[in-house]
Amino acid sequence: MTSRYQHSVVLCTAGYDHTIKFWEAPAGKCYRTINFADSQVNQLAITPDKQYLAAVGNCHARLFDVMKDVAVPVRTFNGHSGNVTAVGFQKDRKWMFTGSEDGTLKIWDMRQRSGFQRSYPSKAAINTAVLHPNQGEIISGDEDGNIRVWDLTANACSYELVPDGKCAIRSITIAPDASLVMAANNRGTCFIWKLNEGQGGNVFQPLHKIEAHDTYCLKALISPDVKYLATTSADKTIKIWNISKKFELEKTLVGHQRWVWDCCFSADSQYLVSASSDMTSKLWKLSNGGILMEYKGHQKAVTCVALNDNN
């Protein structure tokens, strides 16, 4: 049975109240709540075709049908032994990847019902992982300050660097055109590299460094049009940096009362949705820095948000 909830915009939030909420983005109305029974939710990811939502928590990942109003997951992925902190999909939904505090990165074949197909040891708790636009590499950042590139064809780590000693890498983002990679750490520093093709794959060429926040930088994200970098922080703010102007601070978005954990750009890069410990998510218009909508309903910290408004 196909549900009536066939929204062109899929907006979801989740966090420490063990629920996932689906929102009508323009109206601010929650139209569906799913209980994530035995864990907080650490991250959300929507498949490119808007069919499924992945939610990850303590030790496992679950896949939910976006189009059907069913609370039971389509599939549960078991295999991690620690908090799962990162999740994402291959563009054609052939496989999913997860990263965990158990120190492993795992690949799950979406066409098979059995466990993970590959597992890569990172030696330290993984805090963040992103898929390269070439669909053949995953870049991870861990608690010990390591950034590693995992080559899925060679089935091995092809590159690693440590930008700031043992300072934990909190978030990594890669430009959709694969021109830039950025990493944010617990000091609030953002490191930016230009990605160059080398003999053995991608080479990180240092480009810039921003002292973005005075405390933890929790999320860094490059906009789809590669014009802006958004950073969120424990200092309760979101900062928007202009990439073409040598990462000049464009504006600071103020309105959250507690830590801002996560953010997502709209497909046209004109809007941003944020998630905060103040139990709200907010929709921001980036041209003027104003709050257009507030999404209220969670009973505890909102730690993650996912948005897919592609045509």
Side-chain angles (χ1 to χ4, degrees), residues 268-280:
D268 63 6
S269 304
Q270 301 297 305
Y271 303 92
L272 189 85
V273 187
S274 57
S276 169
S277 289
D278 66 11
M279 301 189 289
T280 73

Side-chain angles (χ1 to χ4, degrees), residues 40-99:
Q40 80 284 356
V41 183
N42 297 321
Q43 199 184 10
L44 298 169
I46 302 165
T47 55
D49 61 8
K50 303 180 190 172
Q51 292 295 306
Y52 297 101
L53 171 77
V56 297
N58 195 12
C59 296
H60 51 242
R62 291 184 183 135
L63 193 69
F64 297 94
D65 195 318
V66 169
M67 295 300 170
K68 295 178 183 176
D69 192 8
V70 178
V72 179
V74 176
R75 186 174 166 190
T76 298
F77 301 83
N78 295 312
H80 283 293
S81 60
N83 232 355
V84 185
T85 53
V87 62
F89 293 97
Q90 187 265 353
K91 63 175 181 172
D92 300 317
R93 210 193 339 126
K94 289 178 181 173
W95 47 266
M96 182 180 85
F97 69 89
T98 53

Side-chain angles (χ1 to χ4, degrees), residues 138-159:
I138 295 170
I139 305 171
S140 68
D142 69 31
E143 191 67 21
D144 284 355
N146 305 294
I147 295 171
R148 292 189 173 93
V149 179
W150 304 93
D151 187 321
L152 305 183
T153 304
N155 213 17
C157 176
S158 62
Y159 193 82

Side-chain angles (χ1 to χ4, degrees), residues 2 10 22 25 38 46 52 61 67 72 91-92 102 105 111-112 127 131 204 213 217 238-239 249-250 260 277 286 298:
T2 303
V10 182
F22 289 73
D38 49 1
I46 302 165
Y52 297 101
M67 295 300 170
V72 179
K91 63 175 181 172
D92 300 317
D102 67 11
L105 185 76
R111 298 158 294 186
Q112 293 187 27
N127 293 328
L131 179 62
F204 287 55
H213 301 269
C217 186
I238 304 153
K239 292 185 178 180
L249 180 61
E250 185 97 356
V260 187
S277 289
L286 295 180
H298 285 286

Side-chain angles (χ1 to χ4, degrees), residues 170 213 215-220 231-239 253-264 272-278 280-282 284 302-305:
R170 190 56 49 198
H213 301 269
T215 182
Y216 303 107
C217 186
L218 301 170
K219 177 81 172 190
T231 58
T232 78
S233 172
D235 68 9
K236 309 174 190 174
T237 71
I238 304 153
K239 292 185 178 180
L253 307 181
V254 178
H256 280 298
Q257 302 305 308
R258 294 191 178 176
W259 292 24
V260 187
W261 287 96
D262 198 8
C263 67
C264 286
L272 189 85
V273 187
S274 57
S276 169
S277 289
D278 66 11
T280 73
S281 283
K282 297 184 194 299
W284 307 80
V302 186
T303 52
C304 48
V305 58

Side-chain angles (χ1 to χ4, degrees), residues 117-135:
Q117 278 60 55
R118 299 187 198 177
S119 185
Y120 300 105
S122 184
K123 304 172 191 169
I126 291 175
N127 293 328
T128 177
V130 293
L131 179 62
H132 192 291
N134 66 16
Q135 308 294 298

